[in-house]
Amino acid sequence: MHPDVQKVLLTEEEIRDRVKQLGQQISRDYQGKKVLVVGILKGAMIFLADLVRNISIPTYFDFMAVSSYGSSTQSSGAVRILKDLDRSIEGKHVLIVEDIVDTGLTLKYLVENLNSRGPESLKICTLLDKPERRTVDINAHYKGFTIPNEFVVGYGLDFNERYRNLPYVAVLKPEIYQG
Ligand code: PRP
């Protein structure tokens, strides 16, 4: 275990099993269709890479990078697009892939923004859901795990851009945040 980690919340094995189930469920739900997976950088990159290898229907990719204004552990509500999609999503089946839904502000913005571009359908898949923190009414169609209100890192999620490469989801020791 990494020396900065206080406890592992989700092990590699738990994540692998659940990601496999999600991929299979998505493949069933979109059977006969093509899906455009929209990954939200950077947090979703690891989850996305594992998820799509468990999807068996034709899958295409595009990416967006968005940033919420404010400190690293709090979302303020304002969202700006750092990198937009490369192509039009009009008439396509779009699946947004996120690492975590926290306040829900990022997703609310993304859903409104992408819906205005005329997709055939728009759904959300998130690895983690932290419902206790929600300030807006938004819910993912596919959820990996519901987690308590603790700040987590690993498997794509960062603290000040660190720890994204941990293969599990973990809570850091308090002195790391205070450090
Ligand atoms: C994280 C996460 C979501 C958002 C969720 O991104 O990837 O996009 O916060 O928070 P919310 O539900 O309160 O809006 P972050 O801005 O930390 O960027 P990152 O993915 O590059 O780490």
Side-chain angles (χ1 to χ4, degrees), residues 21-33:
Q21 288 173 355
L22 285 173
Q24 289 170 342
Q25 194 186 341
I26 290 165
S27 305
R28 278 197 301 274
D29 292 355
Y30 286 87
Q31 206 167 17
K33 298 172 184 157

Side-chain angles (χ1 to χ4, degrees), residues 40-44 66-68 72 75 98-107 110 133 156-158 161 164:
I40 310 303
L41 300 170
K42 298 174 227 157
V66 295
S67 168
S68 51
S72 56
S75 293
E98 262 288 22
D99 53 345
I100 187 164
V101 187
D102 192 350
T103 63
L105 290 163
T106 305
L107 260 185
L110 282 171
R133 292 259 307 160
L157 292 104
D158 73 307
E161 296 300 326
R164 291 193 198 273

Side-chain angles (χ1 to χ4, degrees), residues 109-178:
Y109 171 84
L110 282 171
V111 165
E112 282 170 10
N113 184 295
L114 295 185
N115 259 332
S116 73
R117 305 184 196 193
E120 175 72 26
S121 70
L122 182 64
K123 283 188 175 182
I124 299 156
C125 177
T126 186
L127 176 74
L128 306 176
D129 185 23
K130 216 192 253 185
E132 280 172 55
R133 292 259 307 160
R134 200 78 90 251
T135 60
V136 289
D137 185 22
I138 192 131
N139 242 307
H141 306 86
Y142 303 100
K143 286 178 217 177
F145 301 91
T146 299
I147 61 165
N149 186 13
E150 287 185 285
F151 189 78
V152 291
V153 298
Y155 200 72
L157 292 104
D158 73 307
F159 172 60
N160 287 345
E161 296 300 326
R162 287 194 65 196
Y163 310 106
R164 291 193 198 273
N165 60 319
L166 295 179
Y168 43 78
V169 172
V171 177
L172 292 172
K173 290 175 180 164
E175 60 261 35
I176 306 298
Y177 303 115
Q178 289 144 17

